């Protein structure tokens, strides 16, 4: 397989993977393009390479910047904006985990904490079932949150070393 075909296959695969993670497919494809590009790219280059509209490219780049996955750069003497993706996979994983935590886990934890305080008759089977379910899910969500917190604070080698020790 030649490099051009391999890049295209990677961009398509990253787009599919991103959409399975809850990230817009185009957003993941733009990220993939920037990951495999040795230099920062302009909006026009991204539009051309991925055959997307200016509006889609601008909105997607804004989202990627918001997620902390892409940086905007300026080159001296040029009016164009350039976009660059951090290529450190550990940084990418931590940034995605941080954003997903903020967007998905934090709101669920807030709701579960509220629901854990619902008052009722402990002898009522309906209340008992509801309370146990909410309490169990809340415990699980808090454990996931602690694990994510550990990952976000950890250095790559320490984190993976700890994970591997758990499976020995």
């Amino acid at each position: 397989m030649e490099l051009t075909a391999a890049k295209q296959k990677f961009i398509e695969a990253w787009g599919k993977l991103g959409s399975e993670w809850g990230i817009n497919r185009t957003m993941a494809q733009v990220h993939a393009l920037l990951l495999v590009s040795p230099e920062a790219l302009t909006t026009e280059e991204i539009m051309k390479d991925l055959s997307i509209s200016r509006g889609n490219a601008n909105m997607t780049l804004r989202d990627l910047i918001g997620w902390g996955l892409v940086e905007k750069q300026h080159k001296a003497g040029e009016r164009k904006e350039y976009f660059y993706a951090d290529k450190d996979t550990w940084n990418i994983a931590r940034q995605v985990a941080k954003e997903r935590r903020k967007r998905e886990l934090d709101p669920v934890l807030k709701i579960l904490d509220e629901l854990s305080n619902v008052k009722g008759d402990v002898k009522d089977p309906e209340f008992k079932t509801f309370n146990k379910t909410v309490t169990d899910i809340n415990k699980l969500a808090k454990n996931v949150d602690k694990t994510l917190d550990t990952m976000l604070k950890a250095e790559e080698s320490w984190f993976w070393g700890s994970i591997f020790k758990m499976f020995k």
Side-chain angles (χ1 to χ4, degrees):
M1 179 181 304
E2 67 177 63
L3 181 59
T4 304
K7 281 181 166 181
Q8 189 58 39
K9 189 169 188 165
F10 174 75
I11 290 167
E12 289 172 15
W14 197 256
K16 185 175 188 292
L17 183 62
S19 65
E20 291 172 7
W21 286 348
I23 297 169
N24 175 305
R25 180 184 216 101
T26 303
M27 185 173 154
Q29 288 177 329
V30 169
H31 186 237
L33 174 64
L34 292 171
L35 282 173
V36 296
S37 298
E39 301 291 327
L41 300 177
T42 64
T43 304
E44 291 74 18
E45 291 169 320
I46 293 167
M47 290 167 47
K48 180 179 172 259
D49 287 353
L50 298 177
S51 300
I52 59 175
S53 70
R54 178 173 302 281
N56 195 359
N58 286 331
M59 183 177 61
T60 299
L61 288 164
R62 194 170 38 247
D63 288 344
L64 286 165
I65 290 168
W67 275 66
L69 295 171
V70 168
E71 293 177 16
K72 188 187 313 186
Q73 299 176 341
H74 295 278
K75 292 186 180 179
E78 290 194 38
R79 292 181 61 188
K80 291 182 179 180
E81 295 176 330
Y82 290 81
F83 300 92
Y84 177 81
D86 184 355
K87 293 170 179 38
D88 182 315
T89 54
W90 181 248
N91 288 341
I92 293 166
R94 286 197 323 208
Q95 196 58 37
V96 169
K98 186 175 14 171
E99 282 300 311
R100 294 209 53 197
R101 177 191 205 182
K102 180 175 77 177
R103 296 165 190 259
E104 298 168 27
L105 188 58
D106 288 350
V108 167
L109 285 170
K110 183 179 177 191
I111 291 168
L112 289 170
D113 281 340
E114 286 177 35
L115 296 174
S116 294
N117 295 321
V118 169
K119 305 292 183 228
D121 180 2
V122 292
K123 294 177 184 173
D124 177 11
E126 194 170 335
F127 173 76
K128 211 169 157 180
T129 301
F130 176 83
N131 193 41
K132 181 178 179 357
T133 301
V134 168
T135 301
D136 289 350
I137 293 171
N138 199 11
K139 283 179 187 174
L140 175 64
K142 285 182 178 184
N143 283 332
V144 169
D145 190 48
K146 285 177 189 172
T147 303
L148 276 174
D149 195 46
T150 301
M151 177 190 166
L152 293 172
K153 291 177 181 173
E155 292 297 318
E156 180 179 10
S157 58
W158 177 88
F159 180 77
W160 288 114
S162 298
I163 295 294
F164 292 136
K165 282 180 192 173
M166 289 180 2
F167 291 106
K168 283 185 179 179

